[in-house]
Amino acid sequence: MKEQSNQRSVKERSKVRLRKKQICQALLVKSYVAKGQTPLFPRIFGHEAGGIVESVGEGVTDLKPGDHVLPVFTGECKECRHCKSEESNMCDLLRINTDRGVMLNDGKSRFSIRGQPIYHFVGTSTFSEYTVVHVGCVAKINPAAPLDKVCVLSCGISTGLGATLNVAKPKKGSSVAIFGLGAVGLAAAEGARIAGASRIIGVDLNSNRFDEAKKFGVTEFVNPKDHNKPVQEVIAEMTNGGVDRSVECTGSVNAMISAFECVHDGWGVAVLVGVPNKDDSFKTHPMNVLNERTLKGTFFGNYKPRSDLPSVVEKYMNKELELEKFITHEVPFSEINKAFEYMLSGAGLRCIIRMGA
């Protein structure tokens, strides 16, 4: 969906207008709109993409037309306490807001049809040939990086990868359990592989995912439905008391509890990535904490978008990180509904949508 032509010359403070957004991702929309969020329609969805800067607004100095960028659903203003802290990536100004469908500076949309506004989605709205994004939500990357590959780093893959490398931080030779073997979970497994974990245990209710997971370093598999005891007990038996690290990527509160309770006492660390339903509550016995298990959460894998994503792209360019294996389908924009079908059926990991086709 294109913007109205009279908006093509827009110049705004702190805004960046992207063109040639040929590459978008369809597969993560559900996680942000289906779990108790306030619906706002009509709006242009999409939040994983690669693009090229067409123009910049007054006051934008970090970017120029022609720069290759990744738009990101969360941002980095570089001025707030979170941005200035080495321990956080949760920007006060640009943290994800699924309810807001307008630009920050004037509270208005940059999309319209027949004079009526169409709202933005998580500050990016990437299912569009052109979009307007706050400069704090745009990461400038190596122009040599292929946009149809690194576009997957603008959300889910970075989230899973960072959850392992930046938060769980498994040591070489350690054991890691990954709960959920979708794209985010497999990215977490990829992080464990890169870190040198010797045992990577994949946990999923769909056994059909196990063969695919081997490509991402997963060495063992557990389907909770195959056992008559809690899966955390199964994993504890497999690992002589529990794994060193676990990463939960499902959004199921029961999986979150299992991920925490399956780590070894004394040094085990569990990291929660999945987005739960708004009414869920996490329950575990306090002794699990007193016995020196650690529970952590993460947002976007603890990556600061503008500061850190360029280096993640370089991991791919240096062949340290494999992205092609996450991309299972490709469709032209005219067939975007096929991408949603792949997502809903679980038939693929990431589907590339080419805007020019």
Side-chain angles (χ1 to χ4, degrees), residues 32 47 71-75 94-96 122 124 154-155 159 299-300:
Y32 290 119
H47 73 289
V72 185
F73 68 96
T74 185
L94 299 170
R95 192 178 307 185
I96 184 173
V122 294
T124 54
S154 65
C155 183
T159 296
F299 180 74
F300 193 50

Side-chain angles (χ1 to χ4, degrees), residues 149 157 186-187 189-190 193-194 212-217 316 320-329 348-350:
K149 302 296 187 298
I157 307 309
L186 292 176
E190 181 81 350
R193 181 190 67 80
I194 292 172
E212 183 76 16
K214 294 177 183 178
K215 300 177 184 177
F216 300 84
Y316 168 73
E320 300 171 47
L321 171 64
E322 301 172 13
L323 294 179
E324 285 84 357
K325 59 191 178 185
F326 288 98
I327 300 169
T328 53
H329 298 83
L349 297 176
R350 282 292 179 270

